[in-house]
Amino acid sequence: MPMNENECKRISDATIEQQTLTGERAAFMAKDAVFVNATFADGESPLKHSENITLTGTNFSWKYPLWYAKNITMKNGTIFEMGRAGIWYTDNISLENVVVEAPKEFRRCHGVALKNVQFSNAAETFWNCDGVTMKDVYAKGDYFAMGSSNMNIENFTLVGNYPFDGVKNVEIRNSKLISKDSFWNSENITIYDSYISGEYFGWNSKNITLVNCTVESLQGFCYIENLVLKNCTLLNTNLAFEYSTVDVDVTNKIDSVKNPKGGTIRAKEIGEIIMEPEKVDVTKTTIITEDGRSA
């Protein structure tokens, strides 16, 4: 039988198994509680201000399930489409083997760990969060991870534009990002062994390093201070490095380079080199190619 609002409030040091919980704030301020195969149905903010909660096989069907919560572990559950804006202002939370259908998850959270999590609608997810680890995560949606910091990401697949805007201190490995305008206004980004496809990568950023990556980006890598590419492949990338300071080692042909601000570019070949002395000090950039073209 469904548990009503009064029965569910102030749950403490209890195990709730195979129950349907309804009503606004159904388990408000729950503490030291375990929920097994439970369903939080209609009713906003069911676990608001909760603490030390374990959720196994538990599902959320309505808005704002975990706000201002602490020390949450969720495994093998689902946050359905109407569970939007579900996890805000929450500290020390882990999700494993979880499907998230709702947008706008994770805002201003600290200490988030995800493993094998699927976001089918990740629009505006992970905004202004700090201390995030992600492994084996798939996300589809625009504006992922805006303003977040201290992220460690592995085996991540993202399909969505404008991700990682304004982020700081991010490390990504073995990932695939299909994303226009990624990593704008960002700082201290390191990406290893990954594939990135999308226009205008990394504008207005500082300290970006890519190692063993493949990137396809129209007008990519512009307006960057301290861009490092090590053993990278650039596909369909033209008008690259405009007004950027660079240390670039590219294994193949770059379609075109335009007005880098300074540094060194090494490539197998460059289709077109545009250096305009009225716009940049061309003496500050060295370009070296295997076919002997240089600037």
Side-chain angles (χ1 to χ4, degrees):
M1 295 291 292
M3 300 177 69
N4 66 39
E5 183 175 348
N6 291 329
E7 289 173 328
C8 295
K9 283 185 177 179
R10 297 182 178 84
I11 293 172
S12 180
D13 194 23
T15 297
I16 307 300
E17 186 169 359
Q18 203 170 336
Q19 294 286 334
T20 299
L21 298 92
T22 63
E24 187 171 351
R25 298 189 175 190
F28 183 68
M29 295 187 71
K31 187 175 182 180
D32 302 316
V34 176
F35 295 84
V36 180
N37 296 329
T39 297
F40 288 91
D42 293 0
E44 297 180 359
S45 306
L47 279 167
K48 191 174 184 179
H49 287 291
S50 60
E51 186 173 352
N52 304 331
I53 304 298
T54 299
L55 304 158
T56 303
T58 293
N59 303 316
F60 294 96
S61 300
W62 209 246
K63 302 175 185 177
Y64 326 135
L66 287 160
W67 278 43
Y68 304 105
K70 292 182 180 179
N71 307 327
I72 308 297
T73 300
M74 181 178 182
K75 292 184 178 181
N76 305 318
T78 304
I79 301 176
F80 289 104
E81 184 178 1
M82 283 305 297
R84 56 188 57 226
I87 304 171
W88 289 25
Y89 310 103
T90 287
D91 297 338
N92 300 324
I93 179 169
S94 67
L95 274 65
E96 184 174 353
N97 301 328
V98 172
V99 174
V100 182
E101 293 187 327
K104 301 182 180 181
E105 298 298 324
F106 296 102
R107 294 277 182 96
R108 301 189 181 277
C109 296
H110 297 81
V112 180
L114 304 185
K115 184 176 181 181
N116 192 28
V117 175
Q118 309 290 316
F119 292 91
S120 59
N121 183 0
E124 301 179 26
T125 287
F126 269 111
W127 280 19
N128 300 304
C129 294
D130 180 59
V132 177
T133 62
M134 296 168 48
K135 185 174 182 180
D136 302 326
V137 172
Y138 170 85
K140 183 176 183 180
D142 294 342
Y143 297 103
F144 188 90
M146 181 179 287
S148 288
S149 58
N150 301 311
M151 305 183 76
N152 195 301
I153 298 170
E154 184 178 357
N155 296 334
F156 177 47
T157 299
L158 173 67
V159 180
N161 296 322
Y162 326 115
F164 299 103
D165 190 339
V167 296
K168 292 183 179 180
N169 307 327
V170 176
E171 182 177 296
I172 298 176
R173 294 180 181 270
N174 300 311
S175 295
K176 188 172 187 177
L177 311 179
I178 311 301
S179 50
K180 175 181 175 181
D181 296 0
S182 57
F183 296 97
W184 277 44
N185 313 300
S186 61
E187 186 172 347
N188 303 333
I189 310 301
T190 308
I191 305 174
Y192 299 91
D193 305 304
S194 296
Y195 174 81
I196 302 165
S197 179
E199 302 172 358
Y200 316 115
F201 175 93
W203 283 35
N204 308 311
S205 294
K206 182 178 181 180
N207 301 334
I208 293 185
T209 299
L210 275 63
V211 181
N212 302 328
C213 291
T214 298
V215 182
E216 181 179 12
S217 183
L218 171 69
Q219 279 187 262
F221 309 105
C222 299
Y223 301 93
I224 298 175
E225 179 182 345
N226 189 29
L227 169 69
V228 178
L229 303 183
K230 298 181 180 180
N231 194 41
C232 289
T233 300
L234 301 186
L235 305 176
N236 301 320
T237 297
N238 62 0
L239 304 176
F241 314 128
E242 187 172 21
Y243 302 119
S244 293
T245 55
V246 298
D247 182 3
V248 169
D249 181 15
V250 175
T251 61
N252 67 325
K253 176 183 176 180
I254 304 173
D255 291 345
S256 64
V257 168
K258 182 178 181 180
N259 290 337
K261 197 173 180 179
T264 302
I265 300 169
R266 305 171 192 86
K268 183 176 182 180
E269 182 182 350
I270 298 175
E272 182 181 18
I273 299 173
I274 303 167
M275 300 291 287
E276 299 172 303
E278 70 275 14
K279 295 181 179 178
V280 294
D281 184 348
V282 299
T283 66
K284 291 185 176 181
T285 301
T286 300
I287 298 177
I288 304 168
T289 62
E290 291 183 11
D291 63 6
R293 293 188 66 191
S294 62

